[in-house]
Amino acid sequence: MEPPLEIPVMTLANVILFPQAMLPLYIFEPRYRRMLDDVLHSHRMFALALKKPGRTREVPSQVAGLGLIRAAVTNKDGTSHLILQGLTRVELTATVRSKPYRIHRIRPLATTGHDSVVVDALTAKVLDLVEERFEQCFYLPVHLLKQLDKISESLGKALPGEVSLKHVLRYLTKLDNPDYLADLVSCTLLPGADQRQTILEAVHLETRLKHLIHFLIAEIRRTKNDQDS
């Protein structure tokens, strides 16, 4: 699906939209209600950008997630609930307008550096750290379970009634797509918006995986210190 050259932009704190991710949103601000009405009557797409921290004005981060509205329900009070599916990373270039809602020119960002022996080694390390992280937490994130349901459908297999760590790792291994794996793990296991934004901005896959490994190790160490104290 070819995105338009200009796209509405929603700026939020602590929310990152990754490619392929399904993100539920509640639309209540008048400007975004108007934006939603406009995009539902056109291409059904808008970009979701992280608000730059420490700014008094609402300034979107330069790299954002472009999303497609998969479902939208309008409530009696004019607010809406919707499901936004991530399509691709985009760079926000020129500002077309800022009121009543932002519209930016965009440039899609394709992942680079797929074919590499280093990528294979880094992906294996990510899977090892995912296993260690899950063993620490003793639970499986709901978002990850929902993503695994989608993966299992594409593989033509149903997930078992009780999903274990073994099943999670098996399905993650069968992804055979380091690009999607890095994004999936980042959006489900990294708690910090700054960490997830760093991953979103990493277009080169080796760099993205290295950032992810660094963040996972930090989370594992933090949890160990909390458990020991």
Short mmCIF file of all heavy atoms in Angstrom, two decimals, residues 21-68:
data_model
loop_
_atom_site.label_atom_id
_atom_site.label_comp_id
_atom_site.label_asym_id
_atom_site.label_seq_id
_atom_site.Cartn_x
_atom_site.Cartn_y
_atom_site.Cartn_z
N ALA A 21 2.32 -3.82 14.34
CA ALA A 21 1.66 -3.82 15.65
C ALA A 21 0.21 -3.34 15.54
O ALA A 21 -0.12 -2.50 14.70
CB ALA A 21 2.43 -2.94 16.63
N MET A 22 -0.65 -3.89 16.40
CA MET A 22 -2.04 -3.46 16.50
C MET A 22 -2.19 -2.62 17.77
O MET A 22 -1.97 -3.13 18.88
CB MET A 22 -2.98 -4.66 16.55
CG MET A 22 -2.99 -5.47 15.28
SD MET A 22 -3.80 -4.60 13.92
CE MET A 22 -3.87 -5.90 12.69
N LEU A 23 -2.54 -1.36 17.61
CA LEU A 23 -2.58 -0.44 18.75
C LEU A 23 -3.99 0.09 18.95
O LEU A 23 -4.56 0.75 18.07
CB LEU A 23 -1.63 0.73 18.49
CG LEU A 23 -1.53 1.80 19.58
CD1 LEU A 23 -0.89 1.23 20.84
CD2 LEU A 23 -0.74 3.00 19.08
N PRO A 24 -4.60 -0.17 20.12
CA PRO A 24 -5.91 0.43 20.41
C PRO A 24 -5.75 1.88 20.85
O PRO A 24 -4.83 2.21 21.61
CB PRO A 24 -6.43 -0.45 21.57
CG PRO A 24 -5.22 -0.98 22.24
CD PRO A 24 -4.15 -1.09 21.17
N LEU A 25 -6.61 2.75 20.37
CA LEU A 25 -6.56 4.17 20.72
C LEU A 25 -7.96 4.68 21.06
O LEU A 25 -8.95 4.23 20.48
CB LEU A 25 -6.00 5.00 19.56
CG LEU A 25 -4.50 4.87 19.25
CD1 LEU A 25 -4.16 5.62 17.96
CD2 LEU A 25 -3.65 5.38 20.40
N TYR A 26 -7.99 5.63 21.99
CA TYR A 26 -9.23 6.31 22.35
C TYR A 26 -9.11 7.75 21.90
O TYR A 26 -8.22 8.48 22.33
CB TYR A 26 -9.46 6.23 23.86
CG TYR A 26 -10.65 7.01 24.37
CD1 TYR A 26 -11.92 6.76 23.88
CD2 TYR A 26 -10.49 7.99 25.34
CE1 TYR A 26 -13.03 7.47 24.35
CE2 TYR A 26 -11.57 8.70 25.83
CZ TYR A 26 -12.84 8.43 25.32
OH TYR A 26 -13.93 9.14 25.79
N ILE A 27 -9.97 8.17 20.99
CA ILE A 27 -9.91 9.52 20.42
C ILE A 27 -10.97 10.39 21.08
O ILE A 27 -12.17 10.12 20.96
CB ILE A 27 -10.16 9.47 18.89
CG1 ILE A 27 -9.22 8.48 18.22
CG2 ILE A 27 -10.02 10.86 18.28
CD1 ILE A 27 -7.76 8.81 18.35
N PHE A 28 -10.51 11.44 21.78
CA PHE A 28 -11.47 12.30 22.50
C PHE A 28 -11.23 13.79 22.27
O PHE A 28 -12.15 14.60 22.38
CB PHE A 28 -11.43 11.99 24.00
CG PHE A 28 -10.10 12.25 24.65
CD1 PHE A 28 -9.81 13.49 25.21
CD2 PHE A 28 -9.13 11.27 24.69
CE1 PHE A 28 -8.58 13.74 25.80
CE2 PHE A 28 -7.89 11.50 25.27
CZ PHE A 28 -7.62 12.74 25.83
N GLU A 29 -9.98 14.19 21.95
CA GLU A 29 -9.73 15.61 21.73
C GLU A 29 -10.43 16.08 20.45
O GLU A 29 -10.44 15.37 19.44
CB GLU A 29 -8.22 15.87 21.59
CG GLU A 29 -7.42 15.70 22.87
CD GLU A 29 -5.98 16.12 22.66
OE1 GLU A 29 -5.76 17.26 22.20
OE2 GLU A 29 -5.08 15.32 22.94
N PRO A 30 -11.02 17.28 20.48
CA PRO A 30 -11.75 17.78 19.30
C PRO A 30 -10.92 17.77 18.02
O PRO A 30 -11.41 17.41 16.95
CB PRO A 30 -12.14 19.21 19.70
CG PRO A 30 -12.26 19.15 21.19
CD PRO A 30 -11.18 18.20 21.63
N ARG A 31 -9.64 18.15 18.10
CA ARG A 31 -8.80 18.20 16.89
C ARG A 31 -8.60 16.81 16.30
O ARG A 31 -8.62 16.62 15.07
CB ARG A 31 -7.45 18.85 17.19
CG ARG A 31 -6.68 18.17 18.31
CD ARG A 31 -5.31 18.76 18.50
NE ARG A 31 -4.67 18.23 19.69
CZ ARG A 31 -3.35 18.29 19.88
NH1 ARG A 31 -2.57 18.85 18.98
NH2 ARG A 31 -2.82 17.79 20.98
N TYR A 32 -8.42 15.81 17.18
CA TYR A 32 -8.20 14.46 16.68
C TYR A 32 -9.51 13.79 16.26
O TYR A 32 -9.50 12.90 15.41
CB TYR A 32 -7.46 13.62 17.72
CG TYR A 32 -6.02 14.06 17.90
CD1 TYR A 32 -5.43 14.13 19.16
CD2 TYR A 32 -5.24 14.42 16.79
CE1 TYR A 32 -4.12 14.54 19.32
CE2 TYR A 32 -3.93 14.84 16.95
CZ TYR A 32 -3.37 14.90 18.21
OH TYR A 32 -2.06 15.30 18.36
N ARG A 33 -10.62 14.24 16.85
CA ARG A 33 -11.91 13.75 16.37
C ARG A 33 -12.15 14.23 14.94
O ARG A 33 -12.65 13.48 14.08
CB ARG A 33 -13.03 14.21 17.31
CG ARG A 33 -13.05 13.44 18.63
CD ARG A 33 -13.76 14.16 19.75
NE ARG A 33 -15.16 14.42 19.48
CZ ARG A 33 -15.99 14.89 20.42
NH1 ARG A 33 -15.56 15.13 21.65
NH2 ARG A 33 -17.25 15.11 20.13
N ARG A 34 -11.77 15.48 14.68
CA ARG A 34 -11.90 16.00 13.31
C ARG A 34 -10.94 15.28 12.37
O ARG A 34 -11.29 14.94 11.24
CB ARG A 34 -11.62 17.50 13.30
CG ARG A 34 -11.68 18.12 11.92
CD ARG A 34 -11.64 19.62 11.98
NE ARG A 34 -11.55 20.22 10.64
CZ ARG A 34 -11.53 21.52 10.41
NH1 ARG A 34 -11.58 22.38 11.41
NH2 ARG A 34 -11.44 21.96 9.17
N MET A 35 -9.71 15.04 12.85
CA MET A 35 -8.73 14.32 12.05
C MET A 35 -9.23 12.92 11.68
O MET A 35 -9.14 12.49 10.52
CB MET A 35 -7.40 14.19 12.80
CG MET A 35 -6.30 13.48 12.03
SD MET A 35 -4.93 12.92 13.09
CE MET A 35 -5.70 11.45 13.82
N LEU A 36 -9.79 12.23 12.67
CA LEU A 36 -10.30 10.89 12.43
C LEU A 36 -11.41 10.90 11.39
O LEU A 36 -11.43 10.05 10.48
CB LEU A 36 -10.80 10.29 13.75
CG LEU A 36 -11.42 8.89 13.66
CD1 LEU A 36 -10.40 7.89 13.14
CD2 LEU A 36 -11.96 8.45 15.02
N ASP A 37 -12.31 11.85 11.49
CA ASP A 37 -13.39 11.94 10.51
C ASP A 37 -12.84 12.17 9.11
O ASP A 37 -13.31 11.55 8.14
CB ASP A 37 -14.34 13.08 10.90
CG ASP A 37 -15.54 13.16 9.98
OD1 ASP A 37 -16.34 12.20 9.96
OD2 ASP A 37 -15.69 14.17 9.28
N ASP A 38 -11.81 13.00 9.01
CA ASP A 38 -11.22 13.28 7.69
C ASP A 38 -10.54 12.05 7.11
O ASP A 38 -10.72 11.74 5.92
CB ASP A 38 -10.22 14.44 7.80
CG ASP A 38 -10.90 15.78 8.06
OD1 ASP A 38 -12.12 15.87 7.84
OD2 ASP A 38 -10.20 16.73 8.48
N VAL A 39 -9.75 11.34 7.92
CA VAL A 39 -8.99 10.21 7.36
C VAL A 39 -9.91 9.01 7.07
O VAL A 39 -9.64 8.24 6.15
CB VAL A 39 -7.84 9.78 8.29
CG1 VAL A 39 -6.84 10.91 8.46
CG2 VAL A 39 -8.33 9.29 9.63
N LEU A 40 -11.01 8.88 7.84
CA LEU A 40 -11.95 7.79 7.56
C LEU A 40 -12.65 7.99 6.22
O LEU A 40 -13.12 7.02 5.62
CB LEU A 40 -12.98 7.67 8.68
CG LEU A 40 -12.49 7.03 9.99
CD1 LEU A 40 -13.58 7.08 11.04
CD2 LEU A 40 -12.02 5.60 9.77
N HIS A 41 -12.72 9.23 5.78
CA HIS A 41 -13.33 9.53 4.49
C HIS A 41 -12.30 9.66 3.37
O HIS A 41 -12.62 10.14 2.28
CB HIS A 41 -14.17 10.81 4.58
CG HIS A 41 -15.44 10.64 5.35
ND1 HIS A 41 -15.50 10.80 6.72
CD2 HIS A 41 -16.70 10.29 4.96
CE1 HIS A 41 -16.74 10.58 7.14
NE2 HIS A 41 -17.48 10.26 6.09
N SER A 42 -11.05 9.24 3.66
CA SER A 42 -10.03 9.29 2.61
C SER A 42 -9.21 8.00 2.63
O SER A 42 -9.73 6.93 2.33
CB SER A 42 -9.14 10.53 2.79
OG SER A 42 -8.56 10.56 4.08
N HIS A 43 -7.96 8.08 3.05
CA HIS A 43 -7.05 6.93 2.95
C HIS A 43 -6.97 6.11 4.23
O HIS A 43 -6.26 5.10 4.26
CB HIS A 43 -5.64 7.41 2.58
CG HIS A 43 -5.21 8.64 3.34
ND1 HIS A 43 -5.10 8.68 4.71
CD2 HIS A 43 -4.90 9.88 2.89
CE1 HIS A 43 -4.71 9.88 5.08
NE2 HIS A 43 -4.58 10.64 4.01
N ARG A 44 -7.63 6.53 5.32
CA ARG A 44 -7.67 5.79 6.60
C ARG A 44 -6.28 5.67 7.25
O ARG A 44 -6.05 4.78 8.05
CB ARG A 44 -8.27 4.39 6.43
CG ARG A 44 -9.70 4.38 5.93
CD ARG A 44 -10.22 2.97 5.76
NE ARG A 44 -10.36 2.28 7.04
CZ ARG A 44 -11.48 2.31 7.79
NH1 ARG A 44 -12.54 2.99 7.37
NH2 ARG A 44 -11.53 1.64 8.92
N MET A 45 -5.38 6.59 6.95
CA MET A 45 -4.03 6.52 7.51
C MET A 45 -3.67 7.81 8.24
O MET A 45 -4.06 8.89 7.83
CB MET A 45 -3.00 6.26 6.40
CG MET A 45 -2.99 4.85 5.86
SD MET A 45 -1.68 4.59 4.62
CE MET A 45 -2.51 5.21 3.16
N PHE A 46 -2.91 7.65 9.31
CA PHE A 46 -2.26 8.79 9.95
C PHE A 46 -1.01 8.29 10.66
O PHE A 46 -0.83 7.08 10.88
CB PHE A 46 -3.19 9.55 10.91
CG PHE A 46 -3.66 8.78 12.11
CD1 PHE A 46 -2.94 8.81 13.30
CD2 PHE A 46 -4.85 8.05 12.08
CE1 PHE A 46 -3.38 8.12 14.43
CE2 PHE A 46 -5.30 7.37 13.19
CZ PHE A 46 -4.57 7.39 14.37
N ALA A 47 -0.12 9.21 10.99
CA ALA A 47 1.12 8.86 11.66
C ALA A 47 1.00 9.13 13.15
O ALA A 47 0.34 10.09 13.57
CB ALA A 47 2.29 9.66 11.08
N LEU A 48 1.62 8.28 13.93
CA LEU A 48 1.67 8.45 15.38
C LEU A 48 3.10 8.74 15.78
O LEU A 48 4.01 7.94 15.53
CB LEU A 48 1.17 7.18 16.08
CG LEU A 48 1.03 7.26 17.60
CD1 LEU A 48 0.02 8.32 18.00
CD2 LEU A 48 0.60 5.91 18.15
N ALA A 49 3.32 9.93 16.37
CA ALA A 49 4.67 10.36 16.73
C ALA A 49 4.79 10.56 18.24
O ALA A 49 3.84 11.01 18.89
CB ALA A 49 5.02 11.66 16.01
N LEU A 50 5.94 10.23 18.77
CA LEU A 50 6.22 10.46 20.19
C LEU A 50 6.49 11.93 20.41
O LEU A 50 7.27 12.55 19.68
CB LEU A 50 7.43 9.64 20.63
CG LEU A 50 7.84 9.79 22.09
CD1 LEU A 50 6.81 9.15 23.02
CD2 LEU A 50 9.22 9.15 22.33
N LYS A 51 5.85 12.50 21.43
CA LYS A 51 6.11 13.89 21.80
C LYS A 51 7.52 14.00 22.36
O LYS A 51 7.92 13.23 23.22
CB LYS A 51 5.10 14.35 22.85
CG LYS A 51 5.30 15.78 23.35
CD LYS A 51 4.27 16.13 24.40
CE LYS A 51 4.48 17.54 24.94
NZ LYS A 51 5.76 17.69 25.68
N LYS A 52 8.29 14.94 21.83
CA LYS A 52 9.64 15.13 22.31
C LYS A 52 9.61 15.56 23.77
O LYS A 52 8.91 16.51 24.13
CB LYS A 52 10.38 16.18 21.46
CG LYS A 52 10.81 15.66 20.10
CD LYS A 52 11.72 16.64 19.40
CE LYS A 52 12.23 16.08 18.08
NZ LYS A 52 13.13 17.02 17.38
N PRO A 53 10.35 14.86 24.63
CA PRO A 53 10.34 15.19 26.06
C PRO A 53 11.01 16.52 26.35
O PRO A 53 11.89 16.98 25.61
CB PRO A 53 11.11 14.02 26.70
CG PRO A 53 12.01 13.53 25.61
CD PRO A 53 11.26 13.74 24.33
N GLY A 54 10.57 17.14 27.42
CA GLY A 54 11.20 18.38 27.87
C GLY A 54 10.84 19.61 27.07
O GLY A 54 11.47 20.65 27.22
N ARG A 55 9.83 19.50 26.21
CA ARG A 55 9.40 20.65 25.41
C ARG A 55 8.07 21.17 25.94
O ARG A 55 7.16 20.40 26.25
CB ARG A 55 9.22 20.25 23.94
CG ARG A 55 10.47 19.66 23.29
CD ARG A 55 11.55 20.71 23.12
NE ARG A 55 12.71 20.17 22.41
CZ ARG A 55 12.88 20.26 21.11
NH1 ARG A 55 11.96 20.85 20.35
NH2 ARG A 55 13.95 19.74 20.53
N THR A 56 7.96 22.48 26.06
CA THR A 56 6.69 23.06 26.50
C THR A 56 5.66 22.97 25.38
O THR A 56 4.48 22.74 25.62
CB THR A 56 6.89 24.53 26.92
OG1 THR A 56 7.51 25.25 25.84
CG2 THR A 56 7.77 24.61 28.16
N ARG A 57 6.13 23.14 24.12
CA ARG A 57 5.24 22.99 22.98
C ARG A 57 5.18 21.53 22.56
O ARG A 57 6.10 20.76 22.83
CB ARG A 57 5.73 23.85 21.81
CG ARG A 57 5.66 25.34 22.07
CD ARG A 57 6.26 26.12 20.92
NE ARG A 57 5.62 25.77 19.65
CZ ARG A 57 6.30 25.45 18.55
NH1 ARG A 57 7.62 25.39 18.59
NH2 ARG A 57 5.66 25.16 17.43
N GLU A 58 4.12 21.18 21.89
CA GLU A 58 3.96 19.81 21.41
C GLU A 58 4.78 19.64 20.13
O GLU A 58 4.37 20.06 19.05
CB GLU A 58 2.48 19.52 21.15
CG GLU A 58 2.21 18.09 20.74
CD GLU A 58 0.74 17.86 20.46
OE1 GLU A 58 0.31 18.17 19.33
OE2 GLU A 58 0.03 17.42 21.37
N VAL A 59 5.93 19.03 20.26
CA VAL A 59 6.83 18.82 19.13
C VAL A 59 6.95 17.32 18.87
O VAL A 59 7.40 16.58 19.75
CB VAL A 59 8.22 19.42 19.38
CG1 VAL A 59 9.13 19.20 18.18
CG2 VAL A 59 8.10 20.90 19.71
N PRO A 60 6.56 16.84 17.69
CA PRO A 60 6.67 15.40 17.40
C PRO A 60 8.09 14.98 17.10
O PRO A 60 8.88 15.77 16.56
CB PRO A 60 5.77 15.23 16.17
CG PRO A 60 5.82 16.55 15.48
CD PRO A 60 5.94 17.58 16.57
N SER A 61 8.45 13.76 17.48
CA SER A 61 9.74 13.21 17.09
C SER A 61 9.78 13.06 15.57
O SER A 61 8.76 12.88 14.92
CB SER A 61 9.96 11.84 17.75
OG SER A 61 9.97 11.97 19.16
N GLN A 62 10.98 13.13 15.02
CA GLN A 62 11.12 13.16 13.56
C GLN A 62 10.75 11.83 12.90
O GLN A 62 10.25 11.79 11.78
CB GLN A 62 12.55 13.54 13.17
CG GLN A 62 12.72 13.83 11.68
CD GLN A 62 14.09 14.38 11.35
OE1 GLN A 62 14.96 14.48 12.21
NE2 GLN A 62 14.30 14.74 10.11
N VAL A 63 11.00 10.72 13.61
CA VAL A 63 10.64 9.41 13.08
C VAL A 63 9.38 8.93 13.81
O VAL A 63 9.31 8.95 15.04
CB VAL A 63 11.77 8.38 13.27
CG1 VAL A 63 11.32 6.98 12.81
CG2 VAL A 63 13.00 8.82 12.49
N ALA A 64 8.38 8.53 13.01
CA ALA A 64 7.09 8.14 13.56
C ALA A 64 6.64 6.83 12.92
O ALA A 64 7.29 6.30 12.02
CB ALA A 64 6.05 9.24 13.30
N GLY A 65 5.53 6.30 13.43
CA GLY A 65 4.95 5.10 12.84
C GLY A 65 3.73 5.47 12.02
O GLY A 65 2.84 6.18 12.51
N LEU A 66 3.67 5.01 10.78
CA LEU A 66 2.50 5.24 9.94
C LEU A 66 1.52 4.10 10.16
O LEU A 66 1.91 2.93 10.09
CB LEU A 66 2.89 5.31 8.47
CG LEU A 66 1.74 5.49 7.47
CD1 LEU A 66 1.05 6.83 7.67
CD2 LEU A 66 2.24 5.34 6.03
N GLY A 67 0.25 4.45 10.44
CA GLY A 67 -0.73 3.43 10.75
C GLY A 67 -1.95 3.49 9.86
O GLY A 67 -2.31 4.54 9.32
N LEU A 68 -2.60 2.34 9.73
CA LEU A 68 -3.84 2.20 8.98
C LEU A 68 -4.96 1.85 9.94
O LEU A 68 -4.81 0.93 10.76
CB LEU A 68 -3.71 1.10 7.92
CG LEU A 68 -4.97 0.74 7.13
CD1 LEU A 68 -5.37 1.89 6.20
CD2 LEU A 68 -4.75 -0.55 6.34
#
